Amino acid sequence: MNWSETETENDIEATPAPAAPVLSGGALFVGDTGSLPLEARRALCLLLAGPSVDAQRQPAQWAALLRNEDDVRSLLCELFLELVLDRDGGVAFTRQYDTAELDSPTLLRSAPLTFIESVLLLFLRQQLAEADTRGERAVVAEFQLVEAMSVYQKNVSTDQAGYGKRVAAAIAKMRENQLLSKLRGSEDRYEVSPALKLLFSAEDVQALGEAYRQLREGDSSLFAASDDADE
């Protein structure tokens, strides 16, 4: 073979890289007709995916949400959704707008709470209220949650092991929905999401608290259907 007939590395012409598309205005990708900046769009996606945007966990999206609040509210209205935003608590989420007699589609999924889940939520909401009065973050240990639920066992089940599994499942559900967030470096301590202040008003807490007090004192007829719901 003659070397003059062999291509060397320098003889090979490099294939030019495709030119990057030219984007106009505030477009983020080809075909983009949106107007929100990137982090605001991410915040909007978090709101739609649920359950919330949290200032501590998503600081960039939280800041972008505050800067673009009016535009985000307008876009959510197009979907018959309302932005619920607590600046002091650093949390925001969406809920269906009350459109009165207007026939509007429902985009947000809802699921009924079991008795154990509702009791757990009430306990967490109370812990949040107590922490607020002290000006502190609401932090709970897992054993506190288990103890708080144990007083209701006689009204729900005589199977202690089975009841323990239901309590564990309820705690897992709170974590899945970001109402409980495990503290960094801890295996069994959680922070309660301030979103609960928006989900449960003081009036709700008072009414539920009274109902559960009667239940603890033996009036199991208040939640006669709860056993079936938890099975």
Side-chain angles (χ1 to χ4, degrees), residues 81-95:
L81 298 176
E82 176 185 9
L83 174 65
V84 182
L85 191 151
D86 181 356
R87 287 178 173 78
D88 295 333
V91 65
F93 63 92
T94 59
R95 64 186 175 198

Side-chain angles (χ1 to χ4, degrees), residues 111-126 149 152 156 163 166 170-171 173-174 179 196 200 204-205 208-209 211-212 215 223 226 229-230:
L113 293 173
T114 66
F115 169 65
I116 294 175
E117 290 166 356
S118 62
V119 171
L120 180 55
L121 277 176
L122 176 63
F123 176 76
L124 295 177
R125 178 63 178 86
Q126 290 171 329
M149 298 301 99
Y152 298 97
V156 177
Y163 185 76
R166 290 152 136 186
I171 294 173
K173 187 171 183 178
M174 298 304 112
L179 296 176
L196 278 177
F200 284 92
D204 293 334
V205 172
L208 283 172
Y212 292 143
L215 180 63
F223 292 91
S226 296
D230 276 356

Side-chain angles (χ1 to χ4, degrees), residues 31-95:
D32 178 21
T33 60
S35 59
L36 287 176
L38 177 59
E39 292 303 332
R41 298 190 195 196
R42 287 176 171 161
L44 180 60
C45 290
L46 288 172
L47 288 169
L48 292 173
S52 63
V53 175
D54 188 294
Q56 290 189 20
R57 289 195 298 270
Q58 297 116 358
Q61 289 77 41
W62 173 258
L65 176 60
L66 296 183
R67 289 194 301 269
N68 298 272
E69 180 183 347
D70 290 343
D71 289 334
V72 172
R73 285 188 182 277
S74 179
L75 286 169
L76 289 173
C77 280
E78 302 279 6
L79 303 175
F80 304 101
L81 298 176
E82 176 185 9
L83 174 65
V84 182
L85 191 151
D86 181 356
R87 287 178 173 78
D88 295 333
V91 65
F93 63 92
T94 59
R95 64 186 175 198

